[in-house]
mmCIF file of all heavy atoms in Angstrom:
data_model
loop_
_atom_site.group_PDB
_atom_site.id
_atom_site.type_symbol
_atom_site.label_atom_id
_atom_site.label_comp_id
_atom_site.label_asym_id
_atom_site.label_seq_id
_atom_site.Cartn_x
_atom_site.Cartn_y
_atom_site.Cartn_z
ATOM 1 N N LYS A 310 51.072 -27.249 91.689
ATOM 2 C CA LYS A 310 52.345 -27.472 90.998
ATOM 3 C C LYS A 310 52.116 -27.501 89.496
ATOM 4 O O LYS A 310 52.896 -26.955 88.735
ATOM 5 C CB LYS A 310 52.959 -28.788 91.457
ATOM 6 C CG LYS A 310 53.499 -28.722 92.871
ATOM 7 C CD LYS A 310 54.149 -30.021 93.271
ATOM 8 C CE LYS A 310 54.408 -30.044 94.758
ATOM 9 N NZ LYS A 310 54.748 -31.377 95.235
ATOM 10 N N GLN A 328 70.989 -17.426 81.434
ATOM 11 C CA GLN A 328 71.808 -17.154 82.618
ATOM 12 C C GLN A 328 73.286 -17.152 82.285
ATOM 13 O O GLN A 328 74.056 -17.925 82.820
ATOM 14 C CB GLN A 328 71.555 -18.211 83.690
ATOM 15 C CG GLN A 328 70.573 -17.742 84.732
ATOM 16 C CD GLN A 328 70.380 -18.754 85.806
ATOM 17 O OE1 GLN A 328 70.994 -19.818 85.772
ATOM 18 N NE2 GLN A 328 69.559 -18.450 86.771
ATOM 19 N N ILE A 340 68.395 -9.432 92.825
ATOM 20 C CA ILE A 340 68.249 -9.908 94.203
ATOM 21 C C ILE A 340 67.334 -8.985 94.987
ATOM 22 O O ILE A 340 66.472 -9.430 95.750
ATOM 23 C CB ILE A 340 69.625 -10.023 94.877
ATOM 24 C CG1 ILE A 340 70.418 -11.137 94.224
ATOM 25 C CG2 ILE A 340 69.481 -10.296 96.363
ATOM 26 C CD1 ILE A 340 71.856 -11.142 94.601
ATOM 27 N N TRP A 344 64.017 -9.913 96.984
ATOM 28 C CA TRP A 344 63.789 -9.575 98.395
ATOM 29 C C TRP A 344 62.472 -8.846 98.562
ATOM 30 O O TRP A 344 61.751 -9.040 99.526
ATOM 31 C CB TRP A 344 64.950 -8.700 98.916
ATOM 32 C CG TRP A 344 66.109 -9.512 99.380
ATOM 33 C CD1 TRP A 344 66.105 -10.836 99.680
ATOM 34 C CD2 TRP A 344 67.449 -9.058 99.585
ATOM 35 N NE1 TRP A 344 67.360 -11.245 100.053
ATOM 36 C CE2 TRP A 344 68.210 -10.173 100.010
ATOM 37 C CE3 TRP A 344 68.092 -7.823 99.464
ATOM 38 C CZ2 TRP A 344 69.562 -10.094 100.311
ATOM 39 C CZ3 TRP A 344 69.443 -7.744 99.765
ATOM 40 C CH2 TRP A 344 70.161 -8.864 100.183
ATOM 41 N N LYS A 566 89.074 23.513 123.553
ATOM 42 C CA LYS A 566 90.262 23.438 124.418
ATOM 43 C C LYS A 566 91.506 23.786 123.610
ATOM 44 O O LYS A 566 92.386 24.497 124.065
ATOM 45 C CB LYS A 566 90.401 22.003 124.927
ATOM 46 C CG LYS A 566 90.167 21.826 126.420
ATOM 47 C CD LYS A 566 89.850 20.384 126.715
ATOM 48 C CE LYS A 566 90.920 19.582 127.332
ATOM 49 N NZ LYS A 566 90.558 18.175 127.521
ATOM 50 N N ARG A 567 91.557 23.224 122.406
ATOM 51 C CA ARG A 567 92.722 23.446 121.552
ATOM 52 C C ARG A 567 92.907 24.934 121.262
ATOM 53 O O ARG A 567 94.023 25.445 121.274
ATOM 54 C CB ARG A 567 92.531 22.682 120.240
ATOM 55 C CG ARG A 567 93.656 22.841 119.254
ATOM 56 C CD ARG A 567 93.223 22.301 117.900
ATOM 57 N NE ARG A 567 93.022 20.864 117.939
ATOM 58 C CZ ARG A 567 94.005 19.973 117.809
ATOM 59 N NH1 ARG A 567 95.228 20.373 117.642
ATOM 60 N NH2 ARG A 567 93.748 18.694 117.851
ATOM 61 N N GLU B 298 59.069 -32.505 98.876
ATOM 62 C CA GLU B 298 58.368 -31.247 98.660
ATOM 63 C C GLU B 298 59.363 -30.097 98.500
ATOM 64 O O GLU B 298 59.183 -29.216 97.669
ATOM 65 C CB GLU B 298 57.429 -30.935 99.831
ATOM 66 C CG GLU B 298 56.104 -31.646 99.791
ATOM 67 C CD GLU B 298 55.340 -31.364 98.515
ATOM 68 O OE1 GLU B 298 55.104 -30.188 98.174
ATOM 69 O OE2 GLU B 298 54.974 -32.339 97.834
ATOM 70 N N ASP B 301 60.640 -30.134 95.109
ATOM 71 C CA ASP B 301 59.643 -29.652 94.153
ATOM 72 C C ASP B 301 59.550 -28.130 94.176
ATOM 73 O O ASP B 301 59.528 -27.476 93.132
ATOM 74 C CB ASP B 301 58.268 -30.248 94.483
ATOM 75 C CG ASP B 301 58.122 -31.649 93.891
ATOM 76 O OD1 ASP B 301 59.057 -32.066 93.182
ATOM 77 O OD2 ASP B 301 57.099 -32.303 94.145
ATOM 78 N N LYS B 311 64.256 -16.068 87.949
ATOM 79 C CA LYS B 311 65.592 -16.125 87.370
ATOM 80 C C LYS B 311 66.625 -16.387 88.440
ATOM 81 O O LYS B 311 67.629 -17.056 88.245
ATOM 82 C CB LYS B 311 65.847 -14.758 86.739
ATOM 83 C CG LYS B 311 66.886 -14.757 85.681
ATOM 84 C CD LYS B 311 66.712 -13.442 84.949
ATOM 85 C CE LYS B 311 67.867 -13.123 84.082
ATOM 86 N NZ LYS B 311 67.739 -11.763 83.551
ATOM 87 N N GLU B 314 66.544 -15.437 96.254
ATOM 88 C CA GLU B 314 67.219 -14.578 97.233
ATOM 89 C C GLU B 314 67.654 -15.401 98.440
ATOM 90 O O GLU B 314 67.377 -16.605 98.543
ATOM 91 C CB GLU B 314 66.333 -13.390 97.622
ATOM 92 C CG GLU B 314 64.908 -13.723 97.954
ATOM 93 C CD GLU B 314 64.739 -14.260 99.334
ATOM 94 O OE1 GLU B 314 65.101 -13.545 100.272
ATOM 95 O OE2 GLU B 314 64.236 -15.390 99.464
ATOM 96 N N PHE B 344 76.577 -14.976 94.266
ATOM 97 C CA PHE B 344 76.168 -13.578 94.361
ATOM 98 C C PHE B 344 76.292 -12.960 95.751
ATOM 99 O O PHE B 344 76.089 -11.770 95.909
ATOM 100 C CB PHE B 344 74.736 -13.399 93.814
ATOM 101 C CG PHE B 344 73.663 -14.134 94.554
ATOM 102 C CD1 PHE B 344 72.977 -13.513 95.573
ATOM 103 C CD2 PHE B 344 73.341 -15.442 94.213
ATOM 104 C CE1 PHE B 344 71.981 -14.178 96.250
ATOM 105 C CE2 PHE B 344 72.340 -16.096 94.892
ATOM 106 C CZ PHE B 344 71.659 -15.469 95.910
ATOM 107 N N ASP B 486 91.984 12.977 118.612
ATOM 108 C CA ASP B 486 92.349 14.319 119.025
ATOM 109 C C ASP B 486 92.824 14.255 120.478
ATOM 110 O O ASP B 486 92.073 13.877 121.359
ATOM 111 C CB ASP B 486 91.111 15.230 118.903
ATOM 112 C CG ASP B 486 91.464 16.676 119.139
ATOM 113 O OD1 ASP B 486 92.602 16.957 119.576
ATOM 114 O OD2 ASP B 486 90.607 17.538 118.883
ATOM 115 N N PHE B 488 93.184 16.429 122.509
ATOM 116 C CA PHE B 488 92.452 17.326 123.402
ATOM 117 C C PHE B 488 91.180 16.695 123.951
ATOM 118 O O PHE B 488 90.564 17.225 124.856
ATOM 119 C CB PHE B 488 92.092 18.612 122.649
ATOM 120 C CG PHE B 488 93.243 19.551 122.500
ATOM 121 C CD1 PHE B 488 94.008 19.564 121.351
ATOM 122 C CD2 PHE B 488 93.569 20.410 123.532
ATOM 123 C CE1 PHE B 488 95.074 20.432 121.220
ATOM 124 C CE2 PHE B 488 94.631 21.282 123.410
ATOM 125 C CZ PHE B 488 95.383 21.293 122.253
#
Side-chain angles (χ1 to χ4, degrees):
Chain A
K310 288 182 192 167
Q328 262 183 0
I340 292 168
W344 275 343
K566 248 160 104 183
R567 179 192 293 277
Chain B
E298 279 303 305
D301 277 356
K311 202 165 166 188
E314 47 80 59
F344 63 93
D486 188 350
F488 283 96

